[in-house]
Amino acid sequence: IQAAWNLKTRALTEMVYVDEIDMDQEGIAEMILDENAIAQVARPGTSLKLPGTSQGGGPSPAVRPVTQSGRPITGFVRPSTQSGRPSTMEQAIRTPRTALTARPITSASGGYVRLGTASMLTNPDGPFINLSRLNLTKYAQKPKLAKALFEYIFHHENDVKNALDLAALATEHAQFKDWWWKVQIGKCYYRLGLYREAEKQFKSALKQQDMVDTILYLAKVYLRLDQPVTALNLYKQGLERFPGEVTLICGIARIYEEMNNISSAAEYYKDVLKQDNTHVEAIACIGSNHFYSDQPEIALRFYRRLLQMGVYNCQLFNNLGLCCFYAQQYDMTLSSFERALFLAENEEETADVWYNLGHVAVGIGDLNLAYQCFKLTLVNNNDYAEAYNNLAVLEMRKGHTEQARALLQTASSLAPHMYEPHFNVAILSEKVGDLQRSYTAAQKSEEAFPGHVDTQQLLKELKEHFAML
């Protein structure tokens, strides 16, 4: 799991700290094809792309941080949220030719064996199956072998083009009566970004055979097309045919959470637990909702339940430490964070733990410790905008105005969707008499968080001052 937390906004002097944030930054790629284009101004509650169209029921950015796309930070990192971001250079240069290299396939081995057997030739240094030599038409006529071969090509070799060709030949051989092949063609179209074609294939497969997996794939298509209401209706129709199906209920909860309707999401997560009381995602999300609702003691019970179930990672101990701190169980706070640091698998996770320790230090009033923790956060992750903002607040308390301004400029450039750096720049500029820069920054803060009362008050005072001039 990957739980995301935040602290209630605390002010030192007139400047504000950034609420604590974790790593679930997700987004949907822009669709360029006209067939997949969406309305630029969506109706309220019908879009996941536009942050201002969500219906009520969710907390403000002052309570629960949001991603750059405007969605609330979730309590769980879900499949496909990291799509489009290769973690290694090998993944970045990978092409559909093979799974391991971007170089074109040569025919060096073709002179030693017959062409028919070369496709299935296996050697220690070469591929398991040489896809360039496969006679797809021949294998498509053998249904049992064709299905296994498709799974290998699609999932192992990541060769969507050849997989789609095989699926098309196989479904033609089956006289378009095999629903399984229609689902596979839909998966290939989805991977290629042809969402409307994928929708047609999934719908056709559902008419032949009602399956939960097909419903889930079709809902993914609608979410990629930015049609969450259609996906919700599809999930609810599926629940009528498959009552109590956990994956469908969880899908509804995820959409409500992405639409910032946290109360409805929590109800559906509770329904998930009624069917499966060991569902990690539901437990984590309910726990995070209780934490954001000023109920750290109840959140602590949910995360202890995860610990009892055998979940043992950095994120869980990170959240346990925060719950213990806000539930005033100080004896367990530092030991939980210590265990989280021990279990951190990469520098980003280590940076999050040090950032949270910095907030604990702010809470107990040890600002020197907080300064060191935020510095260690930047050592592990130099792009941590929230740490830059909070270091600027501490520098301002020391009277280092220029250093604070530089840190705030870095924070606002790294995370323009956060309101705290803009507001802090406005406060700092207003104090030194740069009213124009203060007004510009306050406008950016209001754009990021329209309901921030302090920003509105500052804008009002600046406008009155400009009117006097």
Side-chain angles (χ1 to χ4, degrees), residues 383-396:
D383 292 335
Y384 215 104
E386 296 82 3
Y388 282 110
N389 177 85
N390 295 356
L391 277 174
V393 180
L394 295 176
E395 293 287 1
M396 187 61 193

Side-chain angles (χ1 to χ4, degrees), residues 45-208:
T46 62
S47 173
L48 297 177
K49 283 182 178 292
L50 304 177
T53 61
S54 298
Q55 290 179 335
S60 69
V63 178
R64 185 169 187 167
V66 296
T67 63
Q68 192 159 359
S69 61
R71 302 180 192 170
I73 294 290
T74 58
F76 194 87
V77 168
R78 305 183 175 95
S80 79
T81 59
Q82 305 295 326
S83 62
R85 282 177 261 169
S87 58
T88 64
M89 180 57 69
E90 182 183 4
Q91 292 177 354
I93 66 174
R94 181 177 296 173
T95 69
R97 288 177 178 137
T98 71
L100 300 175
T101 178
R103 291 175 297 179
I105 296 174
T106 62
S107 56
S109 61
Y112 302 103
V113 291
R114 291 184 298 112
L115 186 62
T117 56
S119 62
M120 291 297 183
L121 179 67
T122 302
N123 59 71
D125 300 324
F128 178 66
I129 296 176
N130 195 339
L131 299 180
S132 65
R133 299 181 182 275
L134 282 182
N135 185 352
L136 297 179
T137 306
K138 181 180 73 172
Y139 292 111
Q141 297 173 2
K142 302 175 181 179
K144 295 181 180 178
L145 182 59
K147 291 184 178 180
L149 182 60
F150 175 87
E151 297 282 350
Y152 175 82
I153 297 173
F154 186 80
H155 294 292
H156 184 271
E157 293 296 323
N158 194 27
D159 190 343
V160 182
K161 179 182 177 297
N162 277 326
L164 180 58
D165 291 341
L166 177 61
L169 292 169
T171 191
E172 185 178 353
H173 179 264
Q175 298 179 350
F176 304 97
K177 294 180 180 179
D178 193 339
W179 65 271
W180 191 87
W181 283 113
K182 293 183 179 180
V183 172
Q184 308 316 310
I185 293 175
K187 288 161 64 175
C188 292
Y189 280 142
Y190 178 85
R191 187 77 67 86
L192 292 170
L194 304 173
Y195 303 118
R196 289 301 181 186
E197 284 77 3
E199 177 190 8
K200 295 174 184 176
Q201 295 293 330
F202 290 137
K203 282 186 173 180
S204 179
L206 276 176
K207 289 180 181 177
Q208 290 185 353

Side-chain angles (χ1 to χ4, degrees), residues 418-435:
M418 293 194 311
Y419 76 94
E420 290 96 342
H422 299 304
F423 176 73
N424 290 345
V425 168
I427 288 290
L428 189 60
S429 301
E430 194 264 343
K431 281 189 173 182
V432 299
D434 191 347
L435 301 184

Side-chain angles (χ1 to χ4, degrees), residues 1-2 22-23 312-318 335-357 376 380:
I1 65 167
Q2 182 82 22
D22 211 8
M23 293 176 289
Y312 193 79
N313 56 22
C314 168
Q315 291 82 12
L316 179 57
F317 281 99
N318 169 48
S335 60
S336 296
F337 282 123
E338 184 180 3
R339 186 63 56 87
L341 286 172
F342 177 75
L343 293 173
E345 296 180 352
N346 52 55
E347 292 182 344
E348 286 76 12
E349 293 180 2
T350 305
D352 282 321
V353 178
W354 280 117
Y355 182 77
N356 297 343
L357 280 167
L376 285 169
N380 288 280

